[in-house]
Amino acid sequence: MSEVRHNWTKEEILDIYNKPLMELLYEAAQIHRLHHDPNAVQVSTLLSIKTGGCSEDCGYCPQAARYHTDIDGNDLMPVQQVKAQALRAKAGGSSRVCMGASWRNVKDGPEFDEVLEMVRTINKLDMEVCCTLGMVTENQAKRLAEAGLYAYNHNLDSSEEYYKEVISTRGYQDRLDTIDNVRKTNVTVCSGGIIGMGESIEDRAGMLVALSTLNPQPESTPINALVAVEGTPLEEQKPVEIWEMIRMVATTRIVMPETQVRLSAGRTQMSQEGQAMCFFAGANSIFAGDKLLTTPNPDVDEDMKLFEKLGLNAMKPFTKKVQPKTVESEDSQLAAKGENPKWTRPEHKIERNEAAKASAKEIRAELKDN
């Protein structure tokens, strides 16, 4: 039960997922206690430092420029505003700030230099810093590490097979290559996915095969329940039942025993009892704050009250790994290379994505005429 394996098969994971629920919960809870403090939960705050206007066609994402979702876009936040938000998060009990920018991939230049300064600033606040910026090259990952980055998030989203039904503007291998580039540094990896996009149970198992066979396994794995946003191709998807979320958390815990399993998007649809069962099943990380990039999230005060009811404590920063050192920009040994990597653009057609794009064009034309 304490062994970390990198050779899980889809059939083995399906057998775990489909166990009688009480048996599944018991096994997951035992494994959780072998590797983690069952009463400690890592609390992160997700901050959108650049919102909207993304060129990708991810079927779940309201930030895609090609869809009409009434999302208010913003340019890159100033460093001082990011610092103020980080201090607010720290006061609310968060030990980590995850900064997200709606980019396809990182591009060398002034904006990336600003992000590096944000990383330095937050690390000096004695908080863990995570970024999710799209695809990164090895040199860009090394520059983030030099600035003091603690974790890099790059989700696989689903199985490789179902990924093609959700996204047509980038390939699955690009995501794996980005994780590999991060692994060439001392930065930890955060990678998970979304359930409720219309995928099968086999696809959920396939995603866990892809994550668990990484060596080392990701230090953090977010399990998101789709938040269906009007205007996106997946707007008609029904909400994930809490039992599916509990099973997914428990299965992830068994397959990835040392990983922090994070309850991410979709928590506003979960009862406190449902969240408690997820914690029992092995979830030991959450996003706190009233918004996850662009979708709703429980208020931090509600989370702290739930923690009190359950006897849970917010984990201190740098519990799992020592704090990275920050190298100031003037002392940096790394420079921008002006790289132009050939990230793939499969550009196959996904019918529902094309329909949402066409609908957005019609709406914008009507708005322009009026």
Side-chain angles (χ1 to χ4, degrees), residues 341-359:
K342 298 299 181 183
W343 302 109
T344 60
R345 288 184 180 273
E347 294 289 3
H348 59 281
K349 300 297 182 184
I350 301 174
E351 186 175 339
R352 59 189 175 190
N353 290 17
E354 292 299 310
K357 179 181 176 181
S359 176

Side-chain angles (χ1 to χ4, degrees), residues 47 78-88 118 121-122 125:
L47 178 62
V79 175
Q80 287 306 309
Q81 185 177 352
V82 170
K83 181 180 180 180
Q85 295 274 25
L87 287 169
R88 179 185 171 199
M118 293 173 194
T121 299
I122 297 175
L125 299 178

